[in-house]
Amino acid sequence: MADQQRSQLAARLTRPFAGLMATTYRWVDERLGVTDLVHQLLYEAVPRRGAWAYSLGSATLILIVNQIVTGMFLLWTYVPSTTEAWESLNFTERHDEFGAIVRGMHLWGAYVLFVVIGLHMVRTFVSGSYKKPRELNWIVGVVLFLMVLGLGITGAMLPWDQAAYWTATVVTHVIAYFPIFGTQLQEILRGGTQMGPATLTRFFAIHIWLLPAILVPLIGLHLALLRRHGEHGSWVNYEGVEEETEADRAHRMAHAEAPYPALPSDPGYAVPVDLDEFFPSQVFKDSVVSFGLVLLIFVMAVVVGAPLERAANPAALNYVPTPEWFFLPLDQMLVQFPQAWMIPVGVFIVPGIGTTLLILVPFLDRTPGREPWRRPEVMVPGLFVVLFLIFEAMLAVNRLFNL
Ligand code: HEM
Ligand code: HEM
């Protein structure tokens, strides 16, 4: 059969289906407005310069989706009971290859998430993205960061091996020092005055639905605020705005594409000088970065996997618990305080002040402009905090592993 005849026949055979699909799509679209929604989500302006650095936010989002999806698969085999949690994971590790990879992806996904969310925070801090009108985006971000830390620590308790049991013991011990209602909080979390079966059930519930139920809508709010004000990007998109004439500025504002101009904003920073399309430009860069990270997680899950220590043994008092690496700076700070101050100062006062300052960053930073070198008042303390945390983590590694 000639090529032309073949394609005519194919067209005749598929026409009824193409017609049916088009009619079905129109029916659904009239009722749900899918086309409008897709257009709203994909077609908008974003800053062109420094675009790769702005892929950290979407990478954080994809990594959280990875946690939710792998978490749901884990629920198919994991049994949240002190007598069976370890057994169920031990079975997975030994006899269920797919389950072991999923478990590895959940653990390595969490590790990569901590790094990427940290970099996203550093990026938005350095570029002064928290300045007017994006103050609330930053504050929601800080709360998201705390939620993710909470998910990390509650997750670490779930395998109910030695590491998990002693993590739960230490965390619920420390909680009792919380001002005013510390003891009540401890009892609620332990499900009694002592550690027991209810402790695991409580942390399981907090991990799989309570924290995610707060996290997911907050991410929605973070993204809605992002859409409302547009991506600020970084100072490289606003070079020359201060020398700009009034007429040039008015022209830039008048010809801005949605969602710009970001109002209320300092006039110079309401519209990036150089704009690009979110789709396909930014979406392509976001996809490359996110795909690379998911691939890395998969490789780590296959090659290294997730460890499982011996089953929890409350009688093994000589066991020295080592905290998850993302809590190493806090662990180190604790041992540096005198015994009596250790928990109140090390766990509540210093981290409490640190978190409050972090939330207040948009209101404390009164510097004009967004270039980091013109904001030494915030950049120097910020750099000091990051170096301090790295230094404390190194000291902790040295202490715990005798390097
Ligand atoms: C669950 C965690 C988070 C998710 C899913 C998320 C997602 C995003 C996305 C997709 C963007 C736009 C792209 C980009 O600029 O990278 C963004 C922007 C932003 N995020 Fe996050 N983020 C999270 C956590 C945080 C944290 C911890 C902070 C800071 C404490 C933060 C502060 C900001 C700010 C200020 C912007 C605006 C950036 C700009 O306009 O230049 N976010 N976020
Ligand atoms: C940002 C979100 C999340 C983070 C950072 C996170 C983190 C973790 C971590 C670090 C562990 C310990 C892994 C190990 O040592 O083996 C864990 C365990 C677990 N997580 Fe999550 N998780 C998140 C979300 C979820 C969600 C949404 C679910 C359920 C739908 C879930 C279900 C589980 C289960 C069942 C376990 C126990 C199995 C195991 O330890 O391998 N997680 N999680």
Side-chain angles (χ1 to χ4, degrees), residues 67 71-72 74-75 89 103 106-107 113 151 155 158-159 207-208:
Q67 290 309 105
M72 282 189 308
L74 284 174
L75 290 178
L89 293 181
R103 183 163 177 251
H106 197 71
L107 181 70
L113 172 61
L151 278 154
L158 301 187
H207 186 76
I208 66 131

Side-chain angles (χ1 to χ4, degrees), residues 23-321:
T23 315
T24 313
Y25 181 78
R26 251 196 320 276
W27 189 94
V28 174
D29 194 29
E30 272 166 12
R31 276 140 194 94
L32 295 181
V34 185
T35 309
D36 281 351
L37 187 70
V38 169
H39 275 243
Q40 268 174 25
L41 291 179
L42 291 185
Y43 300 111
E44 66 157 19
V46 289
R48 185 188 297 274
R49 297 189 208 164
W52 287 99
Y54 318 145
S55 61
L56 288 168
S58 59
T60 309
L61 184 63
I62 296 296
L63 293 173
I64 289 194
V65 171
N66 172 64
Q67 290 309 105
I68 295 175
V69 173
T70 51
M72 282 189 308
F73 275 108
L74 284 174
L75 290 178
W76 288 14
T77 43
Y78 174 79
V79 184
S81 113
T82 46
T83 49
E84 283 166 89
W86 185 85
E87 284 295 344
S88 63
L89 293 181
N90 194 37
F91 176 85
T92 304
E93 286 297 324
R94 282 170 193 272
H95 306 290
D96 173 6
E97 228 169 282
F98 173 74
I101 294 177
V102 168
R103 183 163 177 251
M105 285 191 75
H106 197 71
L107 181 70
W108 284 97
Y111 288 172
V112 174
L113 172 61
F114 286 119
V115 174
V116 172
I117 198 174
L119 291 175
H120 176 57
M121 251 169 113
V122 169
R123 196 294 278 171
T124 50
F125 181 83
V126 171
S127 59
S129 294
Y130 50 76
K131 288 195 168 200
K132 187 178 169 184
R134 299 179 181 81
E135 299 93 327
L136 288 179
N137 246 24
W138 171 266
I139 295 174
V140 172
V142 176
V143 181
L144 283 173
F145 180 68
L146 297 177
M147 297 282 123
V148 170
L149 273 187
L151 278 154
I153 193 78
T154 50
M157 300 175 192
L158 301 187
W160 217 244
D161 56 1
Q162 283 287 67
Y165 177 82
W166 290 102
T167 305
T169 309
V170 172
V171 168
T172 54
H173 172 75
V174 162
I175 289 284
Y177 289 81
F178 197 82
I180 308 169
F181 44 87
T183 326
Q184 285 84 342
L185 204 57
Q186 184 190 50
E187 271 195 40
I188 291 173
L189 289 176
R190 282 189 170 171
T193 50
Q194 302 297 321
M195 293 272 294
T199 317
L200 177 59
T201 315
R202 303 254 155 128
F203 281 111
F204 174 70
I206 295 172
H207 186 76
I208 66 131
W209 76 262
L210 187 60
L211 289 179
I214 305 171
L215 183 82
V216 171
L218 272 185
I219 293 180
L221 178 60
H222 195 60
L223 299 182
L225 287 175
L226 176 77
R227 273 302 162 98
R228 178 169 163 75
H229 300 297
E231 171 86 21
H232 164 72
S234 64
W235 68 93
V236 289
N237 290 290
Y238 305 86
E239 271 166 354
V241 289
E242 274 158 29
E243 297 86 52
E244 209 174 26
T245 63
E246 272 309 315
D248 282 347
R249 182 166 297 172
H251 180 266
R252 192 155 57 88
M253 295 282 202
H255 291 83
E257 281 176 66
Y260 302 104
L263 291 173
S265 183
D266 311 349
Y269 297 93
V271 184
V273 176
D274 213 355
L275 288 170
D276 200 353
E277 285 163 343
F278 177 63
F279 180 79
S281 246
Q282 186 68 42
V283 170
F284 170 72
K285 295 181 179 79
D286 290 356
S287 310
V288 170
V289 172
S290 295
F291 179 76
L293 291 171
V294 174
L295 192 65
L296 171 72
I297 291 167
F298 178 73
V299 170
M300 293 310 282
V302 173
V303 177
V304 185
L308 187 65
E309 292 188 3
R310 272 175 294 136
N313 176 8
L317 295 174
N318 57 351
Y319 178 81
V320 182

Side-chain angles (χ1 to χ4, degrees), residues 5-17:
Q5 278 173 313
R6 201 177 288 135
S7 59
Q8 275 173 357
L9 179 65
R12 211 175 312 135
L13 288 175
T14 53
R15 197 172 300 133
F17 297 104

Side-chain angles (χ1 to χ4, degrees), residues 125 372 375-385:
F125 181 83
R375 297 157 41 227
E377 299 92 320
V378 283
M379 289 307 298
V380 173
L383 186 66
F384 173 78
V385 170

